[in-house]
mmCIF file with all atom_site columns, all heavy atoms in Angstrom:
data_model
loop_
_atom_site.group_PDB
_atom_site.id
_atom_site.type_symbol
_atom_site.label_atom_id
_atom_site.label_alt_id
_atom_site.label_comp_id
_atom_site.label_asym_id
_atom_site.label_entity_id
_atom_site.label_seq_id
_atom_site.pdbx_PDB_ins_code
_atom_site.Cartn_x
_atom_site.Cartn_y
_atom_site.Cartn_z
_atom_site.occupancy
_atom_site.B_iso_or_equiv
_atom_site.pdbx_formal_charge
_atom_site.auth_seq_id
_atom_site.auth_comp_id
_atom_site.auth_asym_id
_atom_site.auth_atom_id
_atom_site.pdbx_PDB_model_num
ATOM 1   N N   . THR A 1 207 ? -31.946 23.182 4.388  1.00 0.00 ? 207 THR A N   1
ATOM 2   C CA  . THR A 1 207 ? -30.597 22.876 4.891  1.00 0.00 ? 207 THR A CA  1
ATOM 3   C C   . THR A 1 207 ? -30.487 21.423 5.349  1.00 0.00 ? 207 THR A C   1
ATOM 4   O O   . THR A 1 207 ? -29.506 20.712 5.032  1.00 0.00 ? 207 THR A O   1
ATOM 5   C CB  . THR A 1 207 ? -30.251 23.798 6.070  1.00 0.00 ? 207 THR A CB  1
ATOM 6   O OG1 . THR A 1 207 ? -30.351 25.169 5.648  1.00 0.00 ? 207 THR A OG1 1
ATOM 7   C CG2 . THR A 1 207 ? -28.828 23.533 6.583  1.00 0.00 ? 207 THR A CG2 1
ATOM 8   N N   . ALA A 1 208 ? -31.531 20.952 6.081  1.00 0.00 ? 208 ALA A N   1
ATOM 9   C CA  . ALA A 1 208 ? -31.494 19.556 6.515  1.00 0.00 ? 208 ALA A CA  1
ATOM 10  C C   . ALA A 1 208 ? -31.573 18.627 5.351  1.00 0.00 ? 208 ALA A C   1
ATOM 11  O O   . ALA A 1 208 ? -30.937 17.521 5.350  1.00 0.00 ? 208 ALA A O   1
ATOM 12  C CB  . ALA A 1 208 ? -32.682 19.307 7.477  1.00 0.00 ? 208 ALA A CB  1
ATOM 13  N N   . GLY A 1 209 ? -32.350 18.954 4.321  1.00 0.00 ? 209 GLY A N   1
ATOM 14  C CA  . GLY A 1 209 ? -32.410 18.092 3.122  1.00 0.00 ? 209 GLY A CA  1
ATOM 15  C C   . GLY A 1 209 ? -31.104 17.986 2.380  1.00 0.00 ? 209 GLY A C   1
ATOM 16  O O   . GLY A 1 209 ? -30.697 16.878 2.001  1.00 0.00 ? 209 GLY A O   1
ATOM 17  N N   . TRP A 1 210 ? -30.394 19.136 2.201  1.00 0.00 ? 210 TRP A N   1
ATOM 18  C CA  . TRP A 1 210 ? -29.087 19.045 1.566  1.00 0.00 ? 210 TRP A CA  1
ATOM 19  C C   . TRP A 1 210 ? -28.084 18.300 2.420  1.00 0.00 ? 210 TRP A C   1
ATOM 20  O O   . TRP A 1 210 ? -27.268 17.484 1.866  1.00 0.00 ? 210 TRP A O   1
ATOM 21  C CB  . TRP A 1 210 ? -28.562 20.493 1.326  1.00 0.00 ? 210 TRP A CB  1
ATOM 22  C CG  . TRP A 1 210 ? -29.160 21.157 0.100  1.00 0.00 ? 210 TRP A CG  1
ATOM 23  C CD1 . TRP A 1 210 ? -30.037 22.211 0.143  1.00 0.00 ? 210 TRP A CD1 1
ATOM 24  C CD2 . TRP A 1 210 ? -28.997 20.807 -1.239 1.00 0.00 ? 210 TRP A CD2 1
ATOM 25  N NE1 . TRP A 1 210 ? -30.432 22.561 -1.127 1.00 0.00 ? 210 TRP A NE1 1
ATOM 26  C CE2 . TRP A 1 210 ? -29.788 21.713 -1.996 1.00 0.00 ? 210 TRP A CE2 1
ATOM 27  C CE3 . TRP A 1 210 ? -28.272 19.816 -1.905 1.00 0.00 ? 210 TRP A CE3 1
ATOM 28  C CZ2 . TRP A 1 210 ? -29.840 21.671 -3.395 1.00 0.00 ? 210 TRP A CZ2 1
ATOM 29  C CZ3 . TRP A 1 210 ? -28.322 19.803 -3.300 1.00 0.00 ? 210 TRP A CZ3 1
ATOM 30  C CH2 . TRP A 1 210 ? -29.108 20.655 -3.997 1.00 0.00 ? 210 TRP A CH2 1
ATOM 31  N N   . ALA A 1 211 ? -28.116 18.479 3.730  1.00 0.00 ? 211 ALA A N   1
ATOM 32  C CA  . ALA A 1 211 ? -27.223 17.751 4.602  1.00 0.00 ? 211 ALA A CA  1
ATOM 33  C C   . ALA A 1 211 ? -27.503 16.233 4.511  1.00 0.00 ? 211 ALA A C   1
ATOM 34  O O   . ALA A 1 211 ? -26.563 15.419 4.466  1.00 0.00 ? 211 ALA A O   1
ATOM 35  C CB  . ALA A 1 211 ? -27.327 18.213 6.032  1.00 0.00 ? 211 ALA A CB  1
ATOM 36  N N   . ALA A 1 212 ? -28.803 15.850 4.498  1.00 0.00 ? 212 ALA A N   1
ATOM 37  C CA  . ALA A 1 212 ? -29.145 14.443 4.393  1.00 0.00 ? 212 ALA A CA  1
ATOM 38  C C   . ALA A 1 212 ? -28.671 13.848 3.092  1.00 0.00 ? 212 ALA A C   1
ATOM 39  O O   . ALA A 1 212 ? -28.221 12.709 3.021  1.00 0.00 ? 212 ALA A O   1
ATOM 40  C CB  . ALA A 1 212 ? -30.665 14.286 4.587  1.00 0.00 ? 212 ALA A CB  1
ATOM 41  N N   . LEU A 1 213 ? -28.836 14.616 2.002  1.00 0.00 ? 213 LEU A N   1
ATOM 42  C CA  . LEU A 1 213 ? -28.386 14.132 0.676  1.00 0.00 ? 213 LEU A CA  1
ATOM 43  C C   . LEU A 1 213 ? -26.868 13.909 0.654  1.00 0.00 ? 213 LEU A C   1
ATOM 44  O O   . LEU A 1 213 ? -26.412 12.891 0.161  1.00 0.00 ? 213 LEU A O   1
ATOM 45  C CB  . LEU A 1 213 ? -28.806 15.154 -0.385 1.00 0.00 ? 213 LEU A CB  1
ATOM 46  C CG  . LEU A 1 213 ? -28.349 14.831 -1.840 1.00 0.00 ? 213 LEU A CG  1
ATOM 47  C CD1 . LEU A 1 213 ? -28.973 13.540 -2.279 1.00 0.00 ? 213 LEU A CD1 1
ATOM 48  C CD2 . LEU A 1 213 ? -28.678 15.980 -2.760 1.00 0.00 ? 213 LEU A CD2 1
ATOM 49  N N   . ILE A 1 214 ? -26.122 14.877 1.192  1.00 0.00 ? 214 ILE A N   1
ATOM 50  C CA  . ILE A 1 214 ? -24.630 14.719 1.236  1.00 0.00 ? 214 ILE A CA  1
ATOM 51  C C   . ILE A 1 214 ? -24.226 13.507 2.079  1.00 0.00 ? 214 ILE A C   1
ATOM 52  O O   . ILE A 1 214 ? -23.380 12.700 1.661  1.00 0.00 ? 214 ILE A O   1
ATOM 53  C CB  . ILE A 1 214 ? -24.007 16.010 1.781  1.00 0.00 ? 214 ILE A CB  1
ATOM 54  C CG1 . ILE A 1 214 ? -24.217 17.160 0.797  1.00 0.00 ? 214 ILE A CG1 1
ATOM 55  C CG2 . ILE A 1 214 ? -22.532 15.795 2.035  1.00 0.00 ? 214 ILE A CG2 1
ATOM 56  C CD1 . ILE A 1 214 ? -23.816 18.510 1.328  1.00 0.00 ? 214 ILE A CD1 1
ATOM 57  N N   . ILE A 1 215 ? -24.887 13.345 3.228  1.00 0.00 ? 215 ILE A N   1
ATOM 58  C CA  . ILE A 1 215 ? -24.596 12.190 4.099  1.00 0.00 ? 215 ILE A CA  1
ATOM 59  C C   . ILE A 1 215 ? -24.938 10.889 3.394  1.00 0.00 ? 215 ILE A C   1
ATOM 60  O O   . ILE A 1 215 ? -24.178 9.881  3.458  1.00 0.00 ? 215 ILE A O   1
ATOM 61  C CB  . ILE A 1 215 ? -25.324 12.309 5.452  1.00 0.00 ? 215 ILE A CB  1
ATOM 62  C CG1 . ILE A 1 215 ? -24.728 13.519 6.234  1.00 0.00 ? 215 ILE A CG1 1
ATOM 63  C CG2 . ILE A 1 215 ? -25.183 11.043 6.272  1.00 0.00 ? 215 ILE A CG2 1
ATOM 64  C CD1 . ILE A 1 215 ? -25.543 13.830 7.482  1.00 0.00 ? 215 ILE A CD1 1
ATOM 65  N N   . ALA A 1 216 ? -26.091 10.864 2.694  1.00 0.00 ? 216 ALA A N   1
ATOM 66  C CA  . ALA A 1 216 ? -26.490 9.649  1.996  1.00 0.00 ? 216 ALA A CA  1
ATOM 67  C C   . ALA A 1 216 ? -25.508 9.286  0.903  1.00 0.00 ? 216 ALA A C   1
ATOM 68  O O   . ALA A 1 216 ? -25.166 8.097  0.719  1.00 0.00 ? 216 ALA A O   1
ATOM 69  C CB  . ALA A 1 216 ? -27.893 9.883  1.405  1.00 0.00 ? 216 ALA A CB  1
ATOM 70  N N   . ILE A 1 217 ? -24.985 10.261 0.178  1.00 0.00 ? 217 ILE A N   1
ATOM 71  C CA  . ILE A 1 217 ? -24.013 9.992  -0.899 1.00 0.00 ? 217 ILE A CA  1
ATOM 72  C C   . ILE A 1 217 ? -22.726 9.471  -0.256 1.00 0.00 ? 217 ILE A C   1
ATOM 73  O O   . ILE A 1 217 ? -22.142 8.502  -0.792 1.00 0.00 ? 217 ILE A O   1
ATOM 74  C CB  . ILE A 1 217 ? -23.754 11.234 -1.710 1.00 0.00 ? 217 ILE A CB  1
ATOM 75  C CG1 . ILE A 1 217 ? -24.994 11.645 -2.539 1.00 0.00 ? 217 ILE A CG1 1
ATOM 76  C CG2 . ILE A 1 217 ? -22.552 11.057 -2.651 1.00 0.00 ? 217 ILE A CG2 1
ATOM 77  C CD1 . ILE A 1 217 ? -24.813 12.919 -3.331 1.00 0.00 ? 217 ILE A CD1 1
ATOM 78  N N   . ILE A 1 218 ? -22.313 10.045 0.855  1.00 0.00 ? 218 ILE A N   1
ATOM 79  C CA  . ILE A 1 218 ? -21.050 9.565  1.509  1.00 0.00 ? 218 ILE A CA  1
ATOM 80  C C   . ILE A 1 218 ? -21.239 8.135  2.019  1.00 0.00 ? 218 ILE A C   1
ATOM 81  O O   . ILE A 1 218 ? -20.352 7.260  1.802  1.00 0.00 ? 218 ILE A O   1
ATOM 82  C CB  . ILE A 1 218 ? -20.713 10.498 2.659  1.00 0.00 ? 218 ILE A CB  1
ATOM 83  C CG1 . ILE A 1 218 ? -20.300 11.894 2.112  1.00 0.00 ? 218 ILE A CG1 1
ATOM 84  C CG2 . ILE A 1 218 ? -19.571 9.942  3.515  1.00 0.00 ? 218 ILE A CG2 1
ATOM 85  C CD1 . ILE A 1 218 ? -20.096 12.950 3.230  1.00 0.00 ? 218 ILE A CD1 1
ATOM 86  N N   . LEU A 1 219 ? -22.379 7.863  2.636  1.00 0.00 ? 219 LEU A N   1
ATOM 87  C CA  . LEU A 1 219 ? -22.637 6.490  3.112  1.00 0.00 ? 219 LEU A CA  1
ATOM 88  C C   . LEU A 1 219 ? -22.725 5.515  1.964  1.00 0.00 ? 219 LEU A C   1
ATOM 89  O O   . LEU A 1 219 ? -22.197 4.387  2.030  1.00 0.00 ? 219 LEU A O   1
ATOM 90  C CB  . LEU A 1 219 ? -23.949 6.463  3.941  1.00 0.00 ? 219 LEU A CB  1
ATOM 91  C CG  . LEU A 1 219 ? -23.911 7.223  5.281  1.00 0.00 ? 219 LEU A CG  1
ATOM 92  C CD1 . LEU A 1 219 ? -25.237 7.185  5.931  1.00 0.00 ? 219 LEU A CD1 1
ATOM 93  C CD2 . LEU A 1 219 ? -22.834 6.626  6.171  1.00 0.00 ? 219 LEU A CD2 1
ATOM 94  N N   . TRP A 1 220 ? -23.370 5.913  0.860  1.00 0.00 ? 220 TRP A N   1
ATOM 95  C CA  . TRP A 1 220 ? -23.476 5.029  -0.325 1.00 0.00 ? 220 TRP A CA  1
ATOM 96  C C   . TRP A 1 220 ? -22.066 4.761  -0.878 1.00 0.00 ? 220 TRP A C   1
ATOM 97  O O   . TRP A 1 220 ? -21.749 3.629  -1.228 1.00 0.00 ? 220 TRP A O   1
ATOM 98  C CB  . TRP A 1 220 ? -24.310 5.751  -1.360 1.00 0.00 ? 220 TRP A CB  1
ATOM 99  C CG  . TRP A 1 220 ? -24.343 5.056  -2.712 1.00 0.00 ? 220 TRP A CG  1
ATOM 100 C CD1 . TRP A 1 220 ? -23.465 5.266  -3.746 1.00 0.00 ? 220 TRP A CD1 1
ATOM 101 C CD2 . TRP A 1 220 ? -25.274 4.100  -3.164 1.00 0.00 ? 220 TRP A CD2 1
ATOM 102 N NE1 . TRP A 1 220 ? -23.759 4.502  -4.862 1.00 0.00 ? 220 TRP A NE1 1
ATOM 103 C CE2 . TRP A 1 220 ? -24.890 3.754  -4.523 1.00 0.00 ? 220 TRP A CE2 1
ATOM 104 C CE3 . TRP A 1 220 ? -26.390 3.482  -2.637 1.00 0.00 ? 220 TRP A CE3 1
ATOM 105 C CZ2 . TRP A 1 220 ? -25.570 2.846  -5.286 1.00 0.00 ? 220 TRP A CZ2 1
ATOM 106 C CZ3 . TRP A 1 220 ? -27.073 2.588  -3.385 1.00 0.00 ? 220 TRP A CZ3 1
ATOM 107 C CH2 . TRP A 1 220 ? -26.693 2.259  -4.714 1.00 0.00 ? 220 TRP A CH2 1
ATOM 108 N N   . PHE A 1 221 ? -21.203 5.785  -0.926 1.00 0.00 ? 221 PHE A N   1
ATOM 109 C CA  . PHE A 1 221 ? -19.897 5.625  -1.484 1.00 0.00 ? 221 PHE A CA  1
ATOM 110 C C   . PHE A 1 221 ? -19.050 4.633  -0.653 1.00 0.00 ? 221 PHE A C   1
ATOM 111 O O   . PHE A 1 221 ? -18.331 3.807  -1.218 1.00 0.00 ? 221 PHE A O   1
ATOM 112 C CB  . PHE A 1 221 ? -19.209 6.989  -1.536 1.00 0.00 ? 221 PHE A CB  1
ATOM 113 C CG  . PHE A 1 221 ? -17.827 6.992  -2.177 1.00 0.00 ? 221 PHE A CG  1
ATOM 114 C CD1 . PHE A 1 221 ? -17.697 7.063  -3.547 1.00 0.00 ? 221 PHE A CD1 1
ATOM 115 C CD2 . PHE A 1 221 ? -16.690 6.881  -1.384 1.00 0.00 ? 221 PHE A CD2 1
ATOM 116 C CE1 . PHE A 1 221 ? -16.448 7.030  -4.132 1.00 0.00 ? 221 PHE A CE1 1
ATOM 117 C CE2 . PHE A 1 221 ? -15.447 6.855  -1.932 1.00 0.00 ? 221 PHE A CE2 1
ATOM 118 C CZ  . PHE A 1 221 ? -15.305 6.960  -3.345 1.00 0.00 ? 221 PHE A CZ  1
ATOM 119 N N   . PHE A 1 222 ? -19.122 4.727  0.662  1.00 0.00 ? 222 PHE A N   1
ATOM 120 C CA  . PHE A 1 222 ? -18.244 3.932  1.498  1.00 0.00 ? 222 PHE A CA  1
ATOM 121 C C   . PHE A 1 222 ? -18.869 2.609  1.918  1.00 0.00 ? 222 PHE A C   1
ATOM 122 O O   . PHE A 1 222 ? -18.134 1.658  2.242  1.00 0.00 ? 222 PHE A O   1
ATOM 123 C CB  . PHE A 1 222 ? -17.847 4.718  2.757  1.00 0.00 ? 222 PHE A CB  1
ATOM 124 C CG  . PHE A 1 222 ? -16.871 5.808  2.467  1.00 0.00 ? 222 PHE A CG  1
ATOM 125 C CD1 . PHE A 1 222 ? -17.264 7.136  2.463  1.00 0.00 ? 222 PHE A CD1 1
ATOM 126 C CD2 . PHE A 1 222 ? -15.542 5.542  2.223  1.00 0.00 ? 222 PHE A CD2 1
ATOM 127 C CE1 . PHE A 1 222 ? -16.353 8.162  2.211  1.00 0.00 ? 222 PHE A CE1 1
ATOM 128 C CE2 . PHE A 1 222 ? -14.609 6.543  1.971  1.00 0.00 ? 222 PHE A CE2 1
ATOM 129 C CZ  . PHE A 1 222 ? -15.040 7.863  1.955  1.00 0.00 ? 222 PHE A CZ  1
ATOM 130 N N   . LEU A 1 223 ? -20.197 2.496  1.953  1.00 0.00 ? 223 LEU A N   1
ATOM 131 C CA  . LEU A 1 223 ? -20.813 1.277  2.496  1.00 0.00 ? 223 LEU A CA  1
ATOM 132 C C   . LEU A 1 223 ? -21.404 0.392  1.413  1.00 0.00 ? 223 LEU A C   1
ATOM 133 O O   . LEU A 1 223 ? -21.927 -0.678 1.733  1.00 0.00 ? 223 LEU A O   1
ATOM 134 C CB  . LEU A 1 223 ? -21.932 1.675  3.473  1.00 0.00 ? 223 LEU A CB  1
ATOM 135 C CG  . LEU A 1 223 ? -21.484 2.485  4.691  1.00 0.00 ? 223 LEU A CG  1
ATOM 136 C CD1 . LEU A 1 223 ? -22.635 2.750  5.626  1.00 0.00 ? 223 LEU A CD1 1
ATOM 137 C CD2 . LEU A 1 223 ? -20.363 1.739  5.456  1.00 0.00 ? 223 LEU A CD2 1
ATOM 138 N N   . PHE A 1 224 ? -21.343 0.774  0.130  1.00 0.00 ? 224 PHE A N   1
ATOM 139 C CA  . PHE A 1 224 ? -21.833 -0.115 -0.910 1.00 0.00 ? 224 PHE A CA  1
ATOM 140 C C   . PHE A 1 224 ? -21.037 -1.397 -0.932 1.00 0.00 ? 224 PHE A C   1
ATOM 141 O O   . PHE A 1 224 ? -19.825 -1.395 -0.938 1.00 0.00 ? 224 PHE A O   1
ATOM 142 C CB  . PHE A 1 224 ? -21.731 0.583  -2.285 1.00 0.00 ? 224 PHE A CB  1
ATOM 143 C CG  . PHE A 1 224 ? -22.420 -0.188 -3.426 1.00 0.00 ? 224 PHE A CG  1
ATOM 144 C CD1 . PHE A 1 224 ? -23.780 0.052  -3.680 1.00 0.00 ? 224 PHE A CD1 1
ATOM 145 C CD2 . PHE A 1 224 ? -21.745 -1.116 -4.155 1.00 0.00 ? 224 PHE A CD2 1
ATOM 146 C CE1 . PHE A 1 224 ? -24.400 -0.640 -4.681 1.00 0.00 ? 224 PHE A CE1 1
ATOM 147 C CE2 . PHE A 1 224 ? -22.385 -1.798 -5.178 1.00 0.00 ? 224 PHE A CE2 1
ATOM 148 C CZ  . PHE A 1 224 ? -23.706 -1.558 -5.419 1.00 0.00 ? 224 PHE A CZ  1
#
Side-chain angles (χ1 to χ4, degrees):
T207 302
W210 281 111
L213 178 62
I214 293 172
I215 293 173
I217 292 176
I218 293 173
L219 293 176
W220 172 272
F221 183 84
F222 287 104
L223 300 182
F224 189 89

